[in-house]
Amino acid sequence: PPFQDNLGGWVVLGNITMLQHYFTPVLGSNQPLWTLSTEFWFYTVFGLGLTGAIARGRARYISLALALVALLALGGMFVSYLGQWLVGLAVAMIYAPRLSRPVSATIALVLWLAICRFKDAAIDADLALRMTTEYVTAILFGWVLLSMRGRRIVVFEWLAPFNKFMADFSYSLYLVHFPVLIFATAVLGSVSNIAGYRQGFRPTDPVGIASYIGFIALSLGVAWVFAQLTERHTAELRRHLRSRFHLATGRRPHVAPE
């Protein structure tokens, strides 16, 4: 099997400790989960750096040292990704009404994405150019978000219930979509005589388009069911863990108002 080498005990341990992609392969066939470890280390490194900035004495030096060790161990690509994540953090924290230009920001982002699409081969061939392209994309997208802040957009308000429904199982969709797609493609490649399931479809192939739609619907359905069993109970589990933690330390649990 093509993913057999990604099922060993060392790989499992690396994924449990959020070291996949950097020190071990991603477990099994779920290759998109490399971003999970990257996100985990964003929070860890940023938290250590923030602690180092506000702490005093030994805690400051230990936090900064640990952050530096993590950056050196994870490597240059992680540092690049961290910078892009910090762009998003800055957008979330700053208030800059003078930068609010919804039309200009949207046009700039769309034109930039079009340029990147037609120059993707050249961009992929040069690491520095690719990193620069990613930063420009992050900054322009951040500009769009800044421009939308505080504005009432009828279309977005109309779509709010749908967006809420999708957001409720978006993390589950992220977790399960790739194995579902691989499994569905493998099954259809084995039981059907359609060569496209083994070789790939062109975007304009009618059978391919129908397959894409079907695979998307299947992924959404499986993710929704998975979320009902797991993600839906996250708040309940969080309350339980907080309650146990407070009881263990001799403090009364705090119950947030409804």
Side-chain angles (χ1 to χ4, degrees):
F3 301 104
Q4 184 175 358
D5 294 338
N6 297 346
L7 298 174
W10 181 248
V11 176
V12 173
L13 180 62
N15 281 252
I16 292 175
T17 54
M18 293 294 173
L19 296 175
Q20 68 268 28
H21 177 70
Y22 295 100
F23 297 99
T24 68
V26 175
L27 181 66
S29 63
N30 207 348
Q31 297 303 300
L33 290 190
W34 74 268
T35 61
L36 189 62
S37 64
T38 302
E39 184 178 3
F40 171 84
W41 288 106
F42 285 163
Y43 301 142
T44 301
V45 171
F46 180 78
L48 289 170
L50 183 62
T51 301
I54 64 178
R56 295 289 184 271
R58 182 179 300 177
R60 163 178 289 182
Y61 298 111
I62 292 176
S63 298
L64 292 177
L66 290 174
L68 180 59
V69 169
L71 290 174
L72 292 175
L74 294 169
M77 286 304 300
F78 173 79
V79 175
S80 175
Y81 296 146
L82 178 62
Q84 296 171 48
W85 181 80
L86 290 174
V87 171
L89 179 64
V91 170
M93 296 185 65
I94 66 175
Y95 176 70
R98 292 185 178 182
L99 294 178
S100 181
R101 300 288 188 274
V103 176
S104 299
T106 303
I107 292 175
L109 178 62
V110 171
L111 289 178
W112 175 251
L113 293 177
I115 293 172
C116 293
R117 175 62 183 87
F118 288 108
K119 297 295 182 180
D120 57 350
I123 293 172
D124 288 339
D126 189 310
L127 178 59
L129 182 59
R130 187 171 78 239
M131 292 173 60
T132 302
T133 300
E134 291 172 352
Y135 270 92
V136 173
T137 303
I139 292 170
L140 289 178
F141 185 66
W143 186 21
V144 171
L145 294 180
L146 277 176
S147 299
M148 291 181 176
R149 180 175 295 164
R151 294 179 179 270
R152 295 192 60 183
I153 301 177
V154 176
V155 174
F156 291 167
E157 292 181 352
W158 180 72
L159 289 173
F162 173 76
N163 292 337
K164 171 65 168 57
F165 169 76
M166 297 297 292
D168 284 343
F169 67 97
S170 60
Y171 188 71
S172 295
L173 179 62
Y174 160 70
L175 289 178
V176 306
H177 78 280
F178 204 68
V180 169
L181 294 176
I182 291 179
F183 179 76
T185 304
V187 170
L188 289 174
S190 299
V191 302
S192 73
N193 295 321
I194 301 175
Y197 289 116
R198 293 182 178 273
Q199 302 170 0
F201 288 103
R202 294 186 302 273
T204 55
D205 189 304
V207 177
I209 293 174
S211 300
Y212 299 152
I213 295 173
F215 288 163
I216 291 172
L218 177 62
S219 298
L220 291 172
V222 172
W224 184 85
V225 173
F226 184 81
Q228 303 314 298
L229 300 174
T230 57
E231 191 174 355
R232 181 182 179 184
H233 304 286
T234 301
E236 180 181 347
L237 177 61
R238 185 185 298 116
R239 286 194 297 267
H240 173 73
L241 292 176
R242 285 178 175 173
S243 176
R244 292 294 298 270
F245 173 78
H246 285 299
L247 289 174
T249 56
R251 291 182 293 175
R252 298 179 59 187
H254 171 72
V255 179
E258 297 293 337

